[in-house]
């Protein structure tokens, strides 16, 4: 392991937290100055629950996978496991390929979470949010976070990804998730250009529509390319971004969806589903 990677590992939590906080504050400020939509659910309860779910998910993830993705990448490097080490791919190329490879896995994991009823029960927690803002990006059931980490670990071991690349990917995914869940709208020319390199709030908002065909599109979180490539891209909602209904049809106007305890038990409740999964 190169010495800069050792330094990076020492400060991993601090680096991640600093980027997280900076992005959160920037997005919140943007949402206050120029919101795209009027929020409908009780704001404080929703924020408390979405942030609470993030904290709970992080604690559970660290308890079950104490070394997490970066630690697994360190292990793979020590053992020289994985495709990139076997093929002796140059360092910088393997960094770029890792970011693209992990993003590809994240896209397919998301598609799979929509395709199997048992996984959809977990992912429903994310979609049940009645509003769409930066805190929606935190709203994932701890079991979904754990399963996603398993997918990430398998990809890291298969590819043999550099430690730095995994850390960059995690910081990037965290930041883009906050960006594309933002209750904001970009100038249309800039937005259509950005759509070539990153998933924008207008793209991801469509994924939170109550209409199943719209929910089952725009699965990307970071790079938009996979949606273009695999035919899951939808450029606009059937009604305007301001008027489209957000959430799940079966929980519209149901304020329990903003409660932390309800979010935790939702996957285990027998609920009438309006989704095709
Ligand atoms: Zn989804
Ligand atoms: Zn989302």
């Amino acid at each position: 392991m190169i010495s800069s990677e050792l330094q990076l590992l020492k400060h991993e939590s601090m680096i991640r937290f600093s980027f997280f906080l900076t992005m959160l504050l920037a997005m919140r400020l943007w949402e206050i100055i120029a919101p795209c939509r009027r929020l409908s659910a009780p704001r404080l309860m929703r924020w408390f629950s979405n942030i609470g779910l993030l904290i709970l998910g992080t604690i559970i993830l660290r308890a079950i996978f104490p070394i997490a993705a970066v630690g697994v990448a360190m292990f793979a490097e020590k053992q020289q496991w994985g495709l990139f080490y076997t093929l002796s791919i140059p360092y910088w190329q393997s960094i770029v390929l890792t970011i693209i490879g992990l993003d590809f896995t994240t896209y397919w994991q998301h598609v799979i979470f929509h395709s199997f009823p048992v996984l959809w029960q977990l992912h429903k927690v994310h979609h049940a949010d009645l509003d769409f803002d930066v805190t929606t990006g935190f709203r994932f059931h701890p079991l979904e976070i754990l399963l996603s980490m398993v997918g990430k670990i398998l990809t890291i071991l298969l590819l043999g990804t550099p430690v730095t690349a995994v850390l960059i990917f995690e910081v990037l995914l965290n930041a883009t998730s906050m960006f594309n869940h933002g209750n904001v709208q970009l100038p249309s020319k800039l937005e259509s250009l950005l759509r070539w390199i990153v998933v924008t709030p207008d793209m991801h908002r469509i994924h939170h529509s109550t209409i199943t065909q719209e929910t089952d599109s725009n699965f990307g979180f970071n790079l938009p390319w996979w949606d273009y490539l695999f035919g899951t891209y939808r450029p606009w909602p059937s009604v305007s971004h301001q008027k489209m209904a957000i959430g799940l049809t079966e929980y519209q106007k149901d304020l329990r969806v903003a409660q932390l305890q309800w979010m935790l038990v939702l996957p285990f409740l027998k609920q009438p589903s309006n989704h095709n999964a």
Side-chain angles (χ1 to χ4, degrees):
M1 179 178 300
I2 58 177
S3 61
S4 59
E5 286 191 339
L6 273 173
Q7 284 299 317
L8 208 65
L9 258 185
K10 260 196 218 166
H11 304 295
E12 186 213 341
S13 302
M14 206 53 219
I15 293 169
R16 291 173 62 134
F17 187 68
S18 311
F19 276 101
F20 165 80
L21 206 62
T22 309
M23 193 64 187
L24 175 61
L25 291 176
M27 288 310 299
R28 232 354 256 147
L29 199 65
W30 190 357
E31 286 180 338
I32 292 167
I33 297 169
C36 171
R37 292 166 55 95
R38 189 194 291 263
L39 300 183
S40 60
R43 204 175 295 200
L44 276 182
M45 180 165 69
R46 230 191 105 244
W47 285 350
F48 171 82
S49 302
N50 287 358
I51 294 169
L53 200 62
L54 170 75
I55 294 170
L56 208 61
T58 309
I59 293 170
I60 293 171
L61 182 71
R62 284 285 165 173
I64 295 184
F65 295 110
I67 59 167
V70 171
V72 172
M74 207 166 97
F75 172 77
E77 187 170 336
K78 220 174 191 174
Q79 305 294 327
Q80 293 288 291
W81 279 5
L83 195 67
F84 297 162
Y85 294 118
T86 310
L87 299 176
S88 300
I89 287 184
Y91 185 67
W92 284 107
Q93 284 180 25
S94 63
I95 289 209
V96 174
L97 290 175
T98 295
I99 293 167
I100 296 173
L102 284 173
D103 198 64
F104 179 75
T105 310
T106 307
Y107 168 87
W108 279 109
Q109 274 185 179
H110 193 182
V111 173
I112 289 168
F113 269 102
H114 276 248
S115 307
F116 294 92
V118 64
L119 296 175
W120 171 245
Q121 281 298 112
L122 294 176
H123 189 56
K124 248 170 135 175
V125 173
H126 183 63
H127 282 272
D129 203 345
L130 293 169
D131 284 317
F132 181 88
D133 70 5
V134 65
T135 70
T136 311
F138 306 154
R139 193 184 155 113
F140 292 94
H141 194 276
L143 285 174
E144 178 173 355
I145 295 175
L146 287 178
L147 286 175
S148 301
M149 182 52 79
V150 172
K152 207 181 283 176
I153 286 173
L154 291 175
T155 312
I156 290 168
L157 291 175
L158 187 79
L159 293 180
T161 56
V163 180
T164 313
V166 174
L167 183 59
I168 293 173
F169 176 75
E170 294 220 297
V171 169
L172 210 62
L173 188 67
N174 196 251
T176 50
S177 179
M178 280 191 268
F179 168 66
N180 61 43
H181 284 95
N183 181 26
V184 294
Q185 206 159 24
L186 290 143
S188 59
K189 271 196 178 151
L190 176 66
E191 207 271 342
S192 54
L193 277 176
L194 265 184
R195 276 185 189 213
W196 287 106
I197 49 166
V198 71
V199 173
T200 64
D202 277 5
M203 280 176 80
H204 193 69
R205 192 179 298 108
I206 299 167
H207 184 72
H208 281 259
S209 158
T210 51
I211 301 166
T212 305
Q213 289 83 349
E214 294 183 353
T215 311
D216 287 339
S217 63
N218 298 1
F219 291 98
F221 270 110
N222 192 3
L223 298 170
W225 310 334
W226 318 121
D227 283 302
Y228 303 146
L229 207 61
F230 298 110
T232 51
Y233 174 59
R234 191 173 289 267
W236 46 75
S238 52
V239 290
S240 72
H241 280 283
Q242 283 71 28
K243 285 192 182 142
M244 65 179 279
I246 297 280
L248 297 170
T249 313
E250 59 268 42
Y251 303 120
Q252 285 291 290
K253 298 193 170 42
D254 185 342
L255 290 183
R256 289 177 308 162
V257 305
Q259 293 170 356
L260 180 59
Q261 67 273 28
W262 189 85
M263 281 149 69
L264 288 169
V265 298
L266 170 64
F268 312 103
L269 298 175
K270 206 165 167 53
Q271 295 286 334
S273 175
N274 203 50
H275 193 267
N276 287 342

